[in-house]
């Protein structure tokens, strides 16, 4: 399951956003730092309107969406990499996620205390990113000490040392690991380190309700930083997300439309995360269930089958494939077969977004 860690300074709206995203989470949201000490974890169904349509066509008994896990990690502060504010504990939690969602406060509110005394997204981002970089530097330096000894007799260690020295120089120059061009071999070498600044990053610019559609000057400051860092920006409002939770599902669309937006923060964050990580969704449907499956872009049919069960990949014969839009237009799988819309694809087929698949295999 995809894991996204929600990080940021204290009192920027992390826990409020987390509670709203998972709806039934029990994270506290209070007006003081370090309210969240242990990471709160919530599993969220990924919204996908295609599932209900396919379930109706197939008369499915149930719908099973793909899911994403959000981890609410306590607020970081200056000095976190040296243990300030329980920083080492919090940084360890971040190493376990696939992507980082850094919540940045882009709203003014005299009733909500800012840990630094004023609202300044550029400063806040610099504080958090510096602590992540310092934590990476400390880890790289420890690894380099061990690798230097091995490099006397090992070519593999010599290569690793070269990569580590490159990353150390970049971090010292203020460049994140994700911005450093690395070959596939170099990427493999550093993967076990789980470097924080190597993880895909999304900035969630948290704005007031009346600025959700338009953004503001502070949001533009965040965008400028993201453009330099190979990161994405999603404009969200933790306040709006909290209010959406209280509304019946049928009223949420009208509420968002009144604010001038088409979707809530959950959809925006998930879409950005999938895009950043290069993820795709394929679908399976039948009388028992209609289900969504998450794969990496470029996956071949046998690998996609293996997401369901490893035996499917081992015994893969072929994949019966149809595009979602073609199936809906045909009205049923039987009609689609009669119209020649269902294709038989082999082991070299690259699964596409929205493919509806039926795998044939031997065990």
């Amino acid at each position: 399951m995809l894991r996204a860690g929600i990080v940021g300074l204290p009192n920027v709206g992390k826990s409020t956003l987390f509670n709203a995203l998972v709806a039934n989470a029990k994270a506290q949201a209070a007006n003081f730092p370090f309210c969240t000490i242990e990471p709160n974890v919530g599993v969220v169904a990924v919204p996908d309107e295609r599932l209900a349509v396919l379930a109706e066509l197939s008369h499915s008994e149930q719908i099973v969406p793909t899911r994403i896990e959000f981890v609410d990690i306590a607020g970081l502060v200056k000095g976190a990499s040296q243990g300030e504010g329980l920083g080492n504990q919090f940084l360890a939690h971040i190493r376990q996620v696939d992507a980082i969602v850094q919540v940045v406060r882009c709203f003014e509110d005299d009733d909500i205390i800012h840990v630094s005394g004023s609202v300044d997204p550029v400063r806040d981002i610099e504080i958090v990113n510096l602590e992540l970089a310092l934590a990476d530097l400390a880890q790289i330096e420890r690894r380099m000490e061990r690798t230097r000894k091995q490099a006397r007799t090992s070519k593999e260690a010599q290569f690793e040392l070269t990569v580590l020295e490159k990353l150390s120089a970049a971090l010292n120059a203020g460049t994140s690991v994700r911005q450093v061009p690395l070959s596939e071999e170099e990427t493999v070498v550093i993967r076990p380190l789980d470097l924080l600044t190597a993880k895909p990053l999304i900035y969630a610019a948290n704005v007031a309700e009346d600025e959700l559609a338009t953004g503001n000057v502070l949001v533009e400051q965040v965008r400028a930083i993201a453009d330099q860092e190979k990161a994405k920006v999603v404009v969200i409002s933790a306040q709006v997300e909290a209010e959406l939770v209280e509304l019946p599902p049928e009223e949420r669309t009208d509420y968002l439309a009144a604010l001038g937006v088409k979707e809530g923060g959950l959809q925006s964050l998930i879409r950005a995360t999938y895009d950043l990580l290069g993820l795709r969704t394929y679908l399976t449907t039948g009388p028992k269930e209609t289900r969504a499956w998450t794969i990496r872009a470029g996956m071949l049919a046998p690998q996609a089958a293996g997401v369901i069960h490893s035996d499917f990949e081992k015994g893969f014969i072929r994949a019966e494939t149809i595009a979602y839009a073609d199936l809906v237009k045909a009205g049923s799988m039987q009609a689609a077969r009669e119209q020649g819309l269902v294709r038989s694809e082999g082991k070299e087929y690259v699964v596409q977004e929205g493919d509806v698949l039926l795998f044939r295999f031997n065990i």
Side-chain angles (χ1 to χ4, degrees), residues 300-318:
L300 301 179
Q303 296 172 304
V307 172
I308 299 177
H309 197 288
S310 58
D311 286 343
F312 285 24
E313 181 174 4
K314 294 174 184 176
F316 178 88
I317 299 174
R318 68 180 185 277

Side-chain angles (χ1 to χ4, degrees), residues 13 18 22 25 49 58 78 104 110 152 188 192 207 216 231 237-238 251 254 256 260 276 278 283 287 312 319 342 355:
F18 173 84
V22 301
E49 296 177 352
S58 301
K78 189 174 183 179
V104 185
D110 293 337
R152 298 169 188 165
V188 170
V207 300
N216 55 36
S237 173
E251 295 182 17
D254 291 339
L256 290 171
L276 195 62
L283 310 160
F312 285 24
V342 180
D355 275 352

Side-chain angles (χ1 to χ4, degrees), residues 73-363:
I73 298 166
L76 296 172
V77 294
K78 189 174 183 179
S81 57
Q82 279 77 49
E84 291 294 328
L86 301 178
N88 289 329
Q89 180 180 345
F90 299 161
L91 290 169
H93 295 316
I94 304 173
R95 294 198 188 280
Q96 300 169 12
V97 302
D98 301 301
I100 295 174
V101 177
Q102 186 178 150
V103 181
V104 185
R105 180 170 168 175
C106 294
F107 66 91
E108 299 281 356
D109 189 332
D110 293 337
D111 294 329
I112 301 178
I113 301 167
H114 191 289
V115 70
S116 298
S118 62
V119 177
D120 184 344
V122 174
R123 177 204 58 212
D124 292 355
I125 288 172
E126 288 177 349
I127 290 173
V128 173
N129 287 352
L130 177 59
E131 294 307 319
L132 300 182
L134 289 174
D136 279 354
L137 268 173
Q139 188 174 15
I140 287 173
E141 287 169 2
R142 289 193 297 269
R143 182 65 185 172
M144 285 172 67
E145 287 180 13
R146 294 193 296 268
T147 307
R148 283 194 185 98
K149 298 175 183 178
Q150 301 168 352
R152 298 169 188 165
T153 57
S154 167
K155 289 185 178 180
E156 289 80 4
Q158 291 171 10
F159 177 70
E160 180 179 351
L161 185 59
T162 301
V163 178
L164 294 173
E165 289 172 342
K166 178 199 291 191
L167 297 183
S168 177
L171 287 166
N172 276 304
T175 302
S176 66
V177 173
R178 80 179 67 85
Q179 293 173 270
V180 179
L182 295 173
S183 67
E184 185 175 343
E185 293 79 4
E186 290 172 325
T187 301
V188 170
V189 165
I190 67 166
R191 188 171 293 145
L193 297 178
D194 266 335
L195 296 173
L196 302 174
T197 66
K199 294 183 181 296
L201 174 64
I202 296 172
Y203 288 112
N206 188 14
V207 300
E209 177 179 333
D210 58 356
E211 294 180 321
L212 183 57
T214 60
N216 55 36
V217 174
L218 301 179
V219 172
E220 294 310 310
Q221 293 175 6
V222 176
R223 290 192 195 279
I225 293 173
D227 288 343
Q228 297 173 359
E229 294 185 357
K230 295 184 178 179
K232 285 188 172 293
V233 177
V234 172
V235 179
I236 56 100
S237 173
Q239 177 187 358
V240 169
E241 294 303 313
E243 292 171 0
L244 281 174
V245 171
E246 303 299 323
L247 294 176
E250 60 272 13
E251 295 182 17
R252 294 177 186 176
T253 302
D254 291 339
Y255 174 59
L256 290 171
L259 294 175
V261 294
K262 294 181 179 179
E263 63 183 14
L266 175 60
Q267 289 92 334
S268 298
L269 275 176
I270 289 174
R271 188 159 39 80
T273 303
Y274 268 52
D275 185 43
L276 195 62
L277 294 176
L279 301 178
R280 301 288 183 269
T281 301
Y282 75 83
L283 310 160
T284 56
T285 188
K288 184 177 180 181
E289 69 175 27
T290 291
R291 185 163 185 158
W293 304 88
T294 300
I295 60 172
R296 298 279 179 185
M299 265 194 177
L300 301 179
Q303 296 172 304
V307 172
I308 299 177
H309 197 288
S310 58
D311 286 343
F312 285 24
E313 181 174 4
K314 294 174 184 176
F316 178 88
I317 299 174
R318 68 180 185 277
E320 296 182 4
T321 310
I322 182 173
Y324 166 80
D326 289 341
L327 177 54
V328 173
K329 186 176 181 180
S332 70
M333 188 64 76
Q334 179 61 35
R337 293 184 190 282
E338 293 172 355
Q339 295 172 33
L341 297 174
V342 180
R343 311 184 310 276
S344 180
E345 300 287 359
K347 294 182 178 180
E348 300 304 314
Y349 177 68
V350 178
V351 177
Q352 303 298 307
E353 169 66 32
D355 275 352
V356 182
L357 300 174
L358 174 63
F359 294 109
R360 301 296 184 184
F361 59 94
N362 283 323
I363 295 181

